[in-house]
Amino acid sequence: MLRSLPYEIPYLLSAGHYWKTKMFKLTQKIDFASEIFVDSGAQQFFRKFKGFLYPYTTIEYVAFANSIEANLIATLDLPLDILTPRGLSVHKGIERTVDYGVEMIESVGKENRNKVVPVLQGFDDATQWLECLDLYRSQGIKSENWGIGSLCMARSSRLVRNVVTEIRRELADAHIHIFGLSLDSLREVHEDVDSFDTSVWVYWAKMDGAVLVWDSLEQRFVHLQARDGKRYDTLSLMRMNIKSIEDMVDDLNSQIWKRKINSEKKELEKPPTQGSKS
């Protein structure tokens, strides 16, 4: 479907989709992407986790990412929103996530180090994601790019907001990506987020035959369904959903710039403080 777009888009590739028993297999070229970001793919096989271990090694994962010329590679991590309810303790999950990250960073070599995106994990309190960050730092890990996991199924927008606010405070100048962030939560935290990924453009088109329309005045999506007796093809609906999500992002970004310009304007209009030179 993405090949049918008249332009290239950034693409998050989940490695789990391409792991076939004992090796990675890519059946089609990714010639529609302006940038490729490879994710660990735990969502695809978490039910098959044995001892909370990946079925492939860090070396196999990195080799696969390099073979498709990925621009960014997320570290292997343990999604605590899935695995903690299954018995993995939050602390152990954070420790293992950092172990995976350190192992990967040490294995990629200096020439690929800037591609690695360490992933932060937590479960139900912002301090857990901060604990993960502190543990990375204690291992000497620094990065210009960071990912935040386990917020895709968060029912509490307050939790999302707290996590993003605290991480942004700690990583003021870093590029922060959130995996699977809901679009409702994005509206609340977009100023502190540099990138995100979503599959709602696929979900609504396939599950409900629906197209999303961004209402900039109400700052919300309107869900429209194809009329009975006149079903539109799913690919068309997905293309329209992508366009609507892009409209939302453009709208939110324009608001950020307007606030920034207004803030700078107010600063310039302030009278000089006493004793300052004109």
Side-chain angles (χ1 to χ4, degrees):
M1 195 289 297
L2 295 175
R3 286 191 180 83
S4 67
L5 294 174
Y7 49 85
E8 295 181 337
I9 63 170
Y11 181 60
L12 182 82
L13 180 149
S14 184
H17 283 301
Y18 301 94
W19 179 253
K20 308 301 180 183
T21 308
K22 293 184 178 181
M23 62 185 298
F24 286 104
K25 292 182 180 179
L26 187 66
T27 57
Q28 294 182 331
K29 291 184 179 180
I30 307 173
D31 51 7
F32 52 79
S34 59
E35 179 182 60
I36 300 174
F37 186 178
V38 176
D39 184 29
S40 63
Q43 298 279 356
Q44 279 70 56
F45 48 77
F46 69 89
R47 289 186 178 88
K48 300 178 182 178
F49 265 121
K50 295 181 179 179
F52 306 111
L53 298 174
Y54 277 83
Y56 42 81
T57 66
T58 297
I59 293 176
E60 289 172 318
Y61 172 62
V62 172
F64 169 66
N66 286 334
S67 73
I68 60 175
E69 299 181 345
N71 302 92
L72 296 171
I73 314 170
T75 55
L76 299 180
D77 63 317
L78 295 182
L80 299 186
D81 54 345
I82 295 171
L83 298 179
T84 293
R86 292 178 53 204
L88 178 65
S89 74
V90 173
H91 183 69
K92 287 294 183 181
I94 289 173
E95 281 189 336
R96 187 62 184 131
T97 288
V98 174
D99 287 343
Y100 270 128
V102 172
E103 179 184 349
M104 182 169 156
I105 289 168
E106 291 177 347
S107 68
V108 295
K110 291 182 179 180
E111 67 278 6
N112 291 314
R113 174 62 186 86
N114 62 342
K115 292 183 179 181
V116 178
V117 181
V119 178
L120 302 170
Q121 281 290 344
F123 180 57
D124 59 4
D125 192 281
T127 59
Q128 295 159 355
W129 281 266
L130 293 176
E131 177 187 347
C132 191
L133 176 60
D134 288 342
L135 196 52
Y136 270 115
R137 286 172 166 171
S138 71
Q139 297 292 325
I141 302 302
K142 299 178 181 179
S143 181
E144 296 179 356
N145 300 291
W146 290 84
I148 302 178
S150 288
L151 291 180
C152 61
M153 295 193 298
R155 295 182 179 180
S156 169
S157 59
R158 178 178 295 180
L159 173 63
V160 175
R161 186 168 59 250
N162 288 344
V163 171
V164 173
T165 298
E166 292 299 323
I167 294 300
R168 175 52 74 191
R169 184 177 291 119
E170 290 291 322
L171 300 172
D173 299 321
H175 181 109
I176 295 177
H177 178 91
I178 300 188
F179 295 98
L181 180 66
S182 75
L183 299 184
D184 286 336
S185 294
L186 176 64
R187 287 180 296 178
E188 296 191 29
V189 301
H190 68 277
E191 290 198 50
D192 290 324
V193 173
D194 297 289
S195 62
F196 71 100
D197 61 89
T198 180
S199 61
V200 298
W201 57 278
V202 175
Y203 177 84
W204 285 109
K206 285 187 174 182
M207 296 297 294
D208 214 22
V211 63
L212 308 175
V213 178
W214 175 248
D215 183 347
S216 60
L217 292 180
E218 296 293 336
Q219 293 290 286
R220 67 183 182 188
F221 281 109
V222 177
H223 289 213
L224 302 178
Q225 262 187 312
R227 191 171 54 190
D228 288 344
K230 190 175 181 181
R231 296 284 296 181
Y232 296 92
D233 67 275
T234 303
L235 294 183
S236 294
L237 297 180
M238 287 194 288
R239 279 193 293 268
M240 287 186 281
N241 286 345
I242 288 177
K243 180 61 170 63
S244 194
I245 291 172
E246 290 176 334
D247 290 342
M248 175 199 65
V249 172
D250 288 343
D251 188 21
L252 296 179
N253 285 340
S254 68
Q255 292 176 36
I256 294 175
W257 282 108
K258 287 178 182 178
R259 284 193 289 270
K260 183 178 180 181
I261 291 172
N262 289 335
S263 177
E264 292 175 348
K265 185 178 179 180
K266 289 180 180 179
E267 284 296 319
L268 291 173
E269 291 174 347
K270 283 184 179 180
T273 57
Q274 188 174 9
S276 64
K277 295 182 180 179
S278 60

